[in-house]
Amino acid sequence: MHRMTALFLSLCIACVSISCTRHTSQSSIPDNATFCDDITQQVQSLEQLHIASGTTQLHNSTSDVYKPIQYDSMYAMWFPVMDYAETLRGKSAKEFRSIMRTRFEKAAAMGINTVFLHVRAYQDAYYPSSLFPMGESVDFDPLQIMLEEAHRCKLSAHAWINPMRGPTDERMQAIDEKYTIKTWYNNPQKRGVYLVQSGNHWWLNPAYDEVRQYIVDGVEEIITNYEVDGIHIDDYFYPTTDSNFDSAAFSQSAFSSLSEFRLAQINTMVKQLYEAIHTQNPHLIFSISPQGTLSGNYDSQYADVKRWGKEAGYCDALIPQIYFGFENQNAPFSDTVSLWTSMVNNDAVSLVIGIGTHKFGKEDQWAGTGKNEWIEHLDIPERQVTFLMQLDSIGGIAIYDYSTTFSPDTQTDAMAQQVEAIGALLRQSE
């Protein structure tokens, strides 16, 4: 029985069309800015945040902590924000519930026991929040409905967020002034420092205590108000290798290497998230889904996956995105899995392998000589699952994503056969 009733919020965010002007000037560093030169430093004390609502029943006391749904082996599936264009936009609460019920039932019937629900992708929220603007103009709580329907199917439901990625400039200008991210955008001391534009989006800079605390507060808000079974983040860390992104912070640090500086900032952010999550509820799972290759993590994302896999205190599960075929010239599937099994060697960290159905029946342009493998072989997902199920060193499998698995835009019949075959393998292991 859930102890929390749904929050209802009616938000209507007007979209305005304003030309995008890139902010390139370097603002001065705020007086209170500090940097994490030592990633082993004590994390900040954590604030409790509550959404002011008479209908919200909080459960953050020690005697009333939520006992999450968890499984020995995680068979997971991602439900990304892109699906909301079909499932949520323009839908009533009843319609959204019906759609998600059907999707969760299909996933569960296949043998999936865990779902990653994308609830914050661009510093917006698919739940009523005091910290972030609503992602869609709805008069109901999408997250609460998804949790209820997922739990009805006995699925472990994890809130999936992107900690650093923010909105486009056009979207930013439409955000209400009451939100932190908009006040930083309007503040010449913080715009370009706490909040930096890269490509088409604004990004949070994790080199500052105040920014990291904002990210932590957002996670605490979810845990405090919802019976989630875990918190999940994926591979959107640093958006660029351009030194201009954080040159002010780097120049004030004790680091001589920008790469080492950025690794330290991400490590500190990740560690603070881990500490905050387990302080709120020690039973929850904090999982990270990084890039599948080491070069992708260390050379561009600055994600210290080797440390996360060998040291406790950063995450409970690592879920590398090994979205490669067996014949991929640069990162063949079997070899890449073996690399990860050798790196994740701490008993406190579970290794779950992420595979993808989104390449099924399509050319893989980055695979070199193996670019046509997904066209020529329509059994790759099944073969990957078969390979992984034989390994004692992994704690599960995660599939990206629901839509390309159950509603592919090519090779529909072949994919349906793959769903049946993979389902048989997952159900057999129960």
Side-chain angles (χ1 to χ4, degrees):
M1 177 73 67
H2 291 288
R3 296 182 297 275
M4 184 181 71
T5 56
L7 297 169
F8 292 94
L9 179 67
S10 181
L11 294 175
C12 186
I13 303 172
C15 295
V16 296
S17 178
I18 305 176
S19 61
C20 178
T21 302
R22 183 168 181 140
H23 182 77
T24 57
S25 63
Q26 287 292 330
S27 301
S28 59
I29 303 173
D31 293 336
N32 65 344
T34 58
F35 312 107
C36 293
D37 295 344
D38 180 2
I39 62 171
T40 63
Q41 67 182 304
Q42 294 289 332
V43 297
Q44 298 173 331
S45 60
L46 306 172
E47 282 187 313
Q48 293 279 24
L49 284 179
H50 306 279
I51 297 178
S53 170
T55 61
T56 307
Q57 299 176 12
L58 305 178
H59 47 78
N60 60 333
S61 67
T62 303
S63 61
D64 193 31
V65 67
Y66 170 63
K67 298 302 189 296
I69 299 172
Q70 294 174 357
Y71 293 91
D72 292 337
S73 294
M74 178 186 289
Y75 299 135
M77 181 167 282
W78 279 278
F79 286 72
V81 70
M82 293 85 74
D83 288 354
Y84 294 152
E86 178 183 352
T87 62
L88 180 61
R89 188 169 301 152
K91 302 293 191 299
S92 66
K94 182 177 181 180
E95 290 170 329
F96 179 66
R97 182 182 295 276
S98 177
I99 291 170
M100 297 313 300
R101 174 175 294 185
T102 298
R103 292 189 171 213
F104 291 149
E105 287 175 346
K106 286 185 177 180
M110 182 183 176
I112 296 298
N113 60 27
T114 303
V115 290
F116 300 130
L117 309 174
H118 215 170
V119 297
R120 196 163 75 246
Y122 302 101
Q123 305 306 319
D124 52 3
Y126 287 86
Y127 53 92
S129 170
S130 64
L131 299 174
F132 307 95
M134 201 73 164
E136 294 283 345
S137 296
V138 294
D139 60 356
F140 57 90
D141 185 341
L143 175 55
Q144 180 61 22
I145 289 176
M146 288 191 288
L147 290 175
E148 290 171 0
E149 292 304 319
H151 288 160
R152 191 183 67 84
C153 292
K154 297 181 172 58
L155 294 169
S156 182
H158 300 217
W160 167 18
I161 69 168
N162 298 112
M164 292 170 55
R165 184 175 61 181
T168 63
D169 195 73
E170 180 181 5
R171 179 70 180 92
M172 180 71 81
Q173 294 182 43
I175 293 175
D176 193 282
E177 304 287 336
K178 69 181 180 180
Y179 294 109
T180 297
I181 194 170
K182 186 59 175 286
T183 65
W184 290 350
Y185 178 82
N186 289 336
N187 186 336
Q189 294 294 310
K190 295 181 178 180
R191 177 170 167 165
V193 180
Y194 284 15
L195 191 64
V196 184
Q197 192 173 38
S198 179
N200 295 325
H201 289 266
W202 288 90
W203 294 74
L204 296 181
N205 183 350
Y208 300 93
D209 288 342
E210 190 176 352
V211 175
R212 292 193 307 276
Q213 189 59 50
Y214 173 61
I215 294 170
V216 168
D217 289 346
V219 168
E220 287 186 314
E221 182 183 57
I222 294 173
I223 297 171
T224 300
N225 291 284
Y226 292 93
E227 293 181 341
V228 295
D229 302 299
I231 297 293
H232 177 73
I233 65 176
D234 58 4
D235 61 326
Y236 285 95
F237 297 110
Y238 278 94
T240 179
T241 59
D242 189 341
S243 61
N244 289 327
F245 182 88
D246 51 359
S247 58
F250 176 59
S251 67
Q252 293 294 312
S253 76
F255 285 89
S256 58
S257 164
L258 178 60
S259 177
E260 292 300 318
F261 171 76
R262 289 184 174 181
L263 287 170
Q265 308 318 308
I266 297 298
N267 277 336
T268 302
M269 180 187 74
V270 166
K271 194 172 187 67
Q272 285 186 233
L273 285 171
Y274 177 90
E275 294 286 349
I277 291 164
H278 287 277
T279 297
Q280 289 279 347
N281 188 336
H283 307 294
L284 297 181
I285 293 175
F286 176 43
S287 60
I288 307 174
S289 181
Q291 292 278 310
T293 64
L294 288 186
S295 61
N297 286 297
Y298 283 94
D299 297 341
S300 60
Q301 299 267 301
Y302 305 97
D304 198 358
V305 294
K306 292 180 181 179
R307 171 167 288 189
W308 302 346
K310 71 179 181 181
E311 295 182 21
Y314 288 95
C315 64
D316 301 299
L318 268 177
I319 312 176
Q321 301 170 22
I322 308 183
Y323 302 155
F324 314 123
F326 292 95
E327 299 173 13
N328 187 297
Q329 184 178 359
N330 305 306
F333 181 79
S334 302
D335 292 348
T336 307
V337 170
S338 296
L339 174 64
W340 280 91
T341 57
S342 68
M343 287 194 307
V344 181
N345 50 25
N346 189 296
D347 291 341
V349 183
S350 176
L351 175 63
V352 176
I353 302 299
I355 66 172
T357 54
H358 55 290
K359 294 182 179 180
F360 191 78
K362 301 175 182 178
E363 179 182 305
D364 187 357
Q365 59 177 326
W366 306 113
T369 56
K371 67 178 182 179
N372 293 322
E373 180 185 6
W374 293 86
I375 298 173
E376 297 170 350
H377 304 285
L378 298 179
D379 61 348
I380 294 176
E382 177 190 356
R383 287 164 53 205
Q384 290 180 336
V385 173
T386 300
F387 174 83
L388 294 171
M389 298 289 276
Q390 297 171 352
L391 302 178
D392 295 330
S393 53
I394 69 165
I397 300 164
I399 300 174
Y400 186 87
D401 60 356
Y402 176 88
S403 291
T404 58
T405 301
F406 288 99
S407 303
D409 55 14
T410 184
Q411 298 289 351
T412 304
D413 291 341
M415 191 68 243
Q417 293 174 11
Q418 288 294 285
V419 168
E420 190 59 38
I422 293 172
L425 291 169
L426 298 183
R427 292 189 297 269
Q428 183 180 352
S429 68
E430 294 177 352

